Amino acid sequence: MYRHFGEVDAADAPPLYARVALAISESGEALRAIETAPARKRQPTVILAALHDLALAGRAPDLAAAYAAADGDAAARAAIDTLLEMTDSVVAIAARRRIRANETGHCAVLYPAIAEAARRVGAKTVGLIDVGCSAGLNLNVDRVGITYGNGQSLGDSSSPVQLSCSIVGDRPVPTRAMPEVVARVGVDLDPVDVTDPDEARWLRACVWPDQPERAAKLDAELALAATAPPLLLTGDAVDVLPDAFAQVPADALPVVTTTWALSRFSLESRLRFLHRLDEAASGRPVAWVSAEGVGVAPAIPTFGDRRASGHSIIGLAVFEQSALRAEALGRCWSQGRLLSWPADS
């Protein structure tokens, strides 16, 4: 597994982790140390992030120095030494943590879709509810700047967080502004509090150490999120959604967002999720903006695309007065870094 990670999975990335993984694969002692972790926590990404967390915390200074110098040989030696000397700490971190992804790249997809949802119901304000929120970085969609490959821009051009997104095709993205956001609610089985130093450090630990641009971008995103932390609700989305809707003022449009979250739900749970949205719309309109694999989001059309076709569908569903209007707005690739918007808006 570690050899495959070094030779294949990390082959197109900066070389530091490939060198470390290959060194671990050749060390019987290191592999035996990793085997003390629960079986599902022995993957290279988890163990390497646990080692990185120790380095960022100042508990593995030699490893931190090797990472800072981007010295593959020194990092390989220091990683194995740290793994052997601090096995219990590495395993404890790996056992209680899961890999977290950098999320605000999704904002380039979410911003125009949320603005379109508000337009369709005439909403002047919106309350955002992000399902599968992790650290809730998507909830700052209106507070980042977004530049598209065709020269269009949305959001806050003065924000410390600036994102870019390539456009596929010749159709422009709608450039209407999103209404004022009056509530930000995150729902997750295990949400991350960005104001907790240990939680924030783990997010940084999940970024590979020889990717300084990604690390700097994440630092900016965390700093922005910490200035207005969202309300985080812990639990299964189907159970927690009623509490989330209650946090949105009565005169605001609740907009539920899911970005590659529903694939972790069973089909039954996806249908119950859809029913929850319909229930919440008994007294006011509710919108759902999704970016999910083809056929994953129930009720969202797919342009006739095949499942597992390598891209995702951007969907918009509006629930109003017991009626559901669902539409596919566009396609996206690479977690929102490439976008096609064929819908008329």
Side-chain angles (χ1 to χ4, degrees):
M1 182 166 58
Y2 278 78
R3 186 181 306 114
H4 184 274
F5 180 85
E7 293 178 346
V8 179
D9 296 343
D12 296 328
L16 196 64
Y17 264 4
R19 180 69 190 89
V20 172
L22 288 172
I24 290 174
S25 77
E26 297 165 356
S27 169
E29 287 182 300
L31 295 175
R32 283 190 290 274
I34 292 169
E35 285 179 344
T36 65
R40 61 188 179 85
K41 294 292 188 173
R42 298 173 188 171
Q43 296 94 338
T45 52
V46 180
I47 295 297
L48 292 174
L51 288 166
H52 194 193
D53 188 70
L54 290 172
L56 292 173
R59 299 174 61 190
D62 290 345
L63 183 59
Y67 281 167
D71 185 331
D73 290 337
R77 292 191 297 271
I80 290 175
D81 289 346
T82 303
L83 185 55
L84 298 180
E85 294 167 7
M86 305 180 70
T87 300
D88 290 346
S89 295
V90 173
V91 169
I93 294 169
R96 76 173 187 272
R97 299 290 195 185
R98 61 186 178 91
I99 293 299
R100 303 287 187 168
N102 187 359
E103 301 159 307
T104 52
H106 304 172
C107 291
V109 169
L110 291 174
Y111 191 110
I114 294 170
E116 176 63 15
R119 183 193 71 83
R120 294 193 180 188
V121 300
K124 304 301 182 184
T125 57
V126 298
L128 302 179
I129 301 171
D130 190 32
V131 171
C133 68
S134 187
L137 301 185
N138 284 338
L139 292 165
N140 288 310
V141 56
D142 59 317
R143 303 178 67 210
V144 305
I146 307 164
T147 301
Y148 296 91
N150 60 1
Q152 292 180 282
S153 62
L154 287 171
D156 183 357
S157 61
S158 65
S159 171
V161 178
Q162 295 294 317
L163 308 176
S164 61
C165 176
S166 298
I167 296 292
V168 178
D170 56 4
R171 295 292 297 273
V173 175
T175 55
R176 64 181 57 88
M178 187 188 305
E180 178 187 3
V181 177
V182 295
R184 305 175 198 271
V185 184
V187 176
D188 200 289
L189 290 171
D190 182 24
V192 177
D193 180 0
V194 296
T195 66
D196 183 319
D198 290 342
E199 297 288 319
R201 188 181 66 245
W202 176 249
L203 291 181
R204 295 184 181 94
C206 292
V207 176
W208 294 9
D210 49 356
Q211 296 179 326
E213 291 184 1
R214 282 192 62 199
K217 180 170 172 286
L218 177 60
D219 285 342
E221 292 164 352
L222 294 175
L224 179 66
T227 63
L231 173 65
L232 300 176
L233 301 180
T234 303
D236 180 271
V238 175
D239 298 327
V240 173
L241 269 175
D243 295 332
F245 282 116
Q247 302 301 319
V248 179
D251 57 350
L253 170 68
V255 180
V256 177
T257 59
T258 64
T259 52
W260 299 280
L262 293 186
S263 60
R264 298 191 291 271
F265 288 35
S266 67
L267 177 58
E268 179 187 2
S269 292
R270 292 179 212 172
L271 296 175
R272 290 176 60 214
F273 167 80
L274 197 68
H275 183 62
R276 280 287 193 225
L277 301 181
D278 186 52
E279 286 180 333
S282 60
R284 58 175 169 178
V286 169
W288 168 34
V289 169
S290 60
E292 303 285 352
V294 177
V296 171
I300 300 297
T302 63
F303 296 115
D305 299 344
R306 294 179 294 105
R307 289 177 180 266
S309 54
H311 64 270
S312 299
I313 300 294
I314 306 162
L316 170 59
V318 176
F319 301 78
E320 189 172 14
Q321 297 178 347
S322 299
L324 167 61
R325 291 173 291 156
E327 181 182 347
L329 297 177
R331 300 177 177 92
C332 63
W333 295 258
S334 299
Q335 298 280 298
R337 287 188 287 273
L338 292 91
L339 170 65
S340 170
W341 194 281
D344 293 321
S345 302

